């Protein structure tokens, strides 16, 4: 069963949203794994020596025990990975092309990992990047008995999504490669409810995700006319953003801005803008503009949640002290430790200690996991 056009657009938009929020790759893979009408165990794997993403691993549908077993004993014994180097960027290959079934079934890798998951030897994937300092691959495993009905559709879907995924990975790389602490050192996520726009240097909107469309319709913070030119409601915010766009039009592709804006209802918003050179990237869901333009601006906007009620809920559900909850909430809103220290008028060492305590109390290994815990509470509160 081929994927409907609406589902392809939905998956493309999820991949685009991961451009500014790498944590969204998990949401993309979770959705992708259910897109064909049968279960497909999906994965986005790779490494990038430039951004130190070593390894980058997101997966969906696999048994956690199997993943743990793979990490501990089979990461360097993957019979499929042995043939990755023979693939070219853009190639879409089936699992049977990567490793012949008669060879695969003689391995302990097959006996311990694939056979227990209902013989998931079908599927395949697309090589997204492969050069001297990085490799990225989108892949999926399906049951052997599903191959005849679903494998061709899966490989076709991989081919359709690969250009969009490659572009988002390029944006991830650009952001990670900046010298700014906000992006390179901390890698904070913007999280759920983020409005993402792609705008040219004449302020025209060429892409707006679902949250961005809602924000435009409300007119509380930003709006646009018939010419699709973005404008902020506040003259101060408009001037700040217009100045950034002007720098971008002059070729400042590494320019970054992070600021707080207030809408007409008194609500605070975190705004991030980054200039990108996208003309040499793959075809994207943004249309012809992105294939011809020299530069563009990605604008991410999300509301800050600072109500006493939500802070109290965070303390209760995550087991945090009032001070830890206040710091973690600002972290989830995209603020760096230095910015949090300035906002709360405390030392940066205190901020870091509070973050460390929150990580321990929530069992989070990384700040990204801690932020996702906050985002889950936000989503529950919005239902």
């Amino acid at each position: 069963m081929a994927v409907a056009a609406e589902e392809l657009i939905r998956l493309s938009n999820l991949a685009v949203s991961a451009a500014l929020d790498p944590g969204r790759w998990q949401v993309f893979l979770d959705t992708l794994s259910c897109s064909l009408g049968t279960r497909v165990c999906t994965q986005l794997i790779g490494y990038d020596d430039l951004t130190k993403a070593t390894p980058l691993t997101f997966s969906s549908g696999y048994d956690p025990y199997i993943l743990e077993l793979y990490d501990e004993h089979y990461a360097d014994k993957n019979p499929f990975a042995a043939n990755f180097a023979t693939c070219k960027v853009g190639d879409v290959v089936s699992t049977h092309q990567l490793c012949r079934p008669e060879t695969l079934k003689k391995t302990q890798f097959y006996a311990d990992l694939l056979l227990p998951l209902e013989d998931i030897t079908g599927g395949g994937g697309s090589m997204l990047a492969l050069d001297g300092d990085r490799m990225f691959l989108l892949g999926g495993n399906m049951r052997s008995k599903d191959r005849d009905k679903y494998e061709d559709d899966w490989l076709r879907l991989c081919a359709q999504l690969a250009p969009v995924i490659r572009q988002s990975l390029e944006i991830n790389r650009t952001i990670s490669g900046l010298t700014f602490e906000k992006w390179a050192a901390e890698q904070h996520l913007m999280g759920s409810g983020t409005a993402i726009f792609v705008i040219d240097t004449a302020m025209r909107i060429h892409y707006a995700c679902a949250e961005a469309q809602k924000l435009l319709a409300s007119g509380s913070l930003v709006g646009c006319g018939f010419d699709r030119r973005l404008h902020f409601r506040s003259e101060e915010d408009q001037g700040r953003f217009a100045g950034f766009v002007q720098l971008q039009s002059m070729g400042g592709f590494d320019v970054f801005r992070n600021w707080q804006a207030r809408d007409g209802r008194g609500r605070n918003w975190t705004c991030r803008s980054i200039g990108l050179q996208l003309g040499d990237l793959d075809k994207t869901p943004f249309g012809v503009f992105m294939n011809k333009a020299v530069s563009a601006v990605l604008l991410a906007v999300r509301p800050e949640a600072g109500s006493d009620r939500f802070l109290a809920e965070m303390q209760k559900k995550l087991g945090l002290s009032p001070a830890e909850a206040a710091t973690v909430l600002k972290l989830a809103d995209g603020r760096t430790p230095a910015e949090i220290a300035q906002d709360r008028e405390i030392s940066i060492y205190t901020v870091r200690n509070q973050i460390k305590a929150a990580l321990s109390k929530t069992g989070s290994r990384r700040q990204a996991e801690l932020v996702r815990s906050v985002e889950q509470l936000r989503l529950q509160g919005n239902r």
Side-chain angles (χ1 to χ4, degrees):
M1 181 181 73
V3 173
E6 293 81 4
E7 182 67 6
L8 181 59
I9 292 173
R10 180 188 179 202
L11 288 166
S12 296
N13 283 338
L14 287 173
V16 169
S17 73
L20 284 179
D21 179 355
R24 298 288 291 175
W25 286 122
Q26 187 62 56
V27 180
F28 167 76
L29 288 179
D30 289 343
T31 306
L32 181 61
S33 68
C34 304
S35 61
L36 282 185
T38 189
R39 178 174 64 91
V40 180
C41 299
T42 55
Q43 55 190 290
L44 177 62
I45 59 175
Y47 63 88
D48 189 336
D49 290 340
L50 175 64
T51 63
K52 308 303 179 186
T54 311
L56 171 73
T57 305
F58 290 96
S59 62
S60 181
Y62 296 93
D63 185 289
Y65 169 76
I66 295 294
L67 291 177
E68 183 177 345
L69 187 64
Y70 175 85
D71 288 339
E72 291 182 359
H73 300 290
Y74 290 103
D76 59 349
K77 301 180 182 68
N78 187 335
F80 299 118
N83 293 312
F84 285 167
T86 64
C87 301
K88 297 179 180 178
V89 174
D91 281 355
V92 177
V93 295
S94 69
T95 52
H96 285 201
Q97 288 175 290
L98 283 172
C99 184
R100 297 177 64 83
E102 56 268 28
T103 300
L104 176 66
K105 292 184 177 182
K106 294 177 182 178
T107 66
Q108 201 63 35
F109 180 94
Y110 168 77
D112 288 349
L113 303 183
L114 304 184
L115 188 58
L117 290 179
E118 299 184 79
D119 196 25
I120 53 171
T121 56
S126 175
M127 183 60 68
L128 303 169
L130 183 62
D131 53 40
D133 55 14
R134 63 175 174 167
M135 186 279 289
F136 288 112
L137 175 76
L138 171 69
N141 293 106
M142 65 178 63
R143 296 175 299 182
S144 178
K145 65 181 183 180
D146 288 337
R147 284 190 65 236
D148 290 344
K149 184 175 181 180
Y150 294 104
E151 187 172 86
D152 286 346
D153 287 337
W154 168 253
L155 296 177
R156 189 177 303 110
L157 180 59
C158 287
Q160 292 170 320
L161 291 172
V164 184
I165 298 171
R166 277 199 294 270
Q167 171 167 287
S168 288
L169 288 171
E170 290 290 346
I171 294 171
N172 288 165
R173 192 183 214 204
T174 300
I175 291 171
S176 299
L178 294 177
T179 58
F180 298 92
E181 181 188 18
K182 302 173 186 64
W183 288 105
E186 301 299 338
Q187 284 286 295
H188 292 314
L189 309 182
M190 290 290 276
S192 62
T194 301
I196 297 178
F197 301 89
V198 176
I199 303 162
D200 67 17
T201 51
M203 304 286 279
R204 285 187 295 267
I205 300 171
H206 291 266
Y207 173 78
C209 71
E211 289 295 332
Q213 294 284 3
K214 292 178 185 177
L215 190 58
L216 287 171
S218 73
S220 61
L221 181 72
V222 293
C224 67
F226 292 110
D227 58 0
R228 294 291 290 172
R229 293 180 190 271
L230 181 81
H231 60 81
F232 279 82
R233 185 179 184 279
S234 161
E235 292 185 5
E236 181 181 355
D237 292 320
Q238 179 68 9
R240 182 183 288 114
F241 184 61
F244 169 83
V245 172
Q246 184 177 8
L247 283 177
Q248 174 67 4
S249 68
M250 298 166 61
F253 303 120
D254 61 348
V255 176
F256 172 86
R257 289 290 183 275
N258 185 26
W259 78 95
Q260 307 306 120
R262 183 182 291 267
D263 66 18
R265 301 169 185 169
R267 191 177 191 183
N268 293 324
W269 297 73
T270 295
C271 303
R272 291 180 176 176
S273 295
I274 183 170
L276 298 170
Q277 189 169 11
L278 301 178
D280 58 348
L281 297 182
D282 293 302
K283 183 179 179 182
T284 78
F286 304 141
V288 178
F289 154 74
M290 282 301 175
N291 295 325
K292 295 181 178 180
V294 174
S295 62
V297 172
L298 268 75
L299 172 65
V301 181
R302 67 151 302 152
E304 290 190 357
S307 68
D308 293 340
R309 181 179 178 182
F310 186 68
L311 282 170
E313 184 180 4
M314 283 180 59
Q315 293 174 48
K316 180 180 179 180
K317 296 291 182 62
L318 302 182
L320 305 179
S321 71
E324 290 162 357
T327 289
V328 170
L329 184 57
K330 286 187 176 293
L331 187 71
D333 282 331
R335 311 305 293 273
T336 68
E339 291 171 334
I340 295 171
Q342 183 177 7
D343 288 349
R344 301 193 58 221
E345 298 182 344
I346 57 178
S347 75
I348 191 170
Y349 305 105
T350 299
V351 170
R352 287 172 176 162
N353 286 336
Q354 289 171 348
I355 293 173
K356 184 177 179 180
L359 288 168
S360 176
K361 289 181 178 180
T362 59
S364 304
R365 291 176 296 177
R366 297 178 300 164
Q367 289 184 19
E369 294 179 15
L370 182 59
V371 168
R372 276 194 281 275
S373 297
V374 177
E375 293 307 317
Q376 288 173 355
L377 290 179
R378 287 192 212 261
L379 290 174
Q380 292 170 9
N382 289 333
R383 289 172 184 171

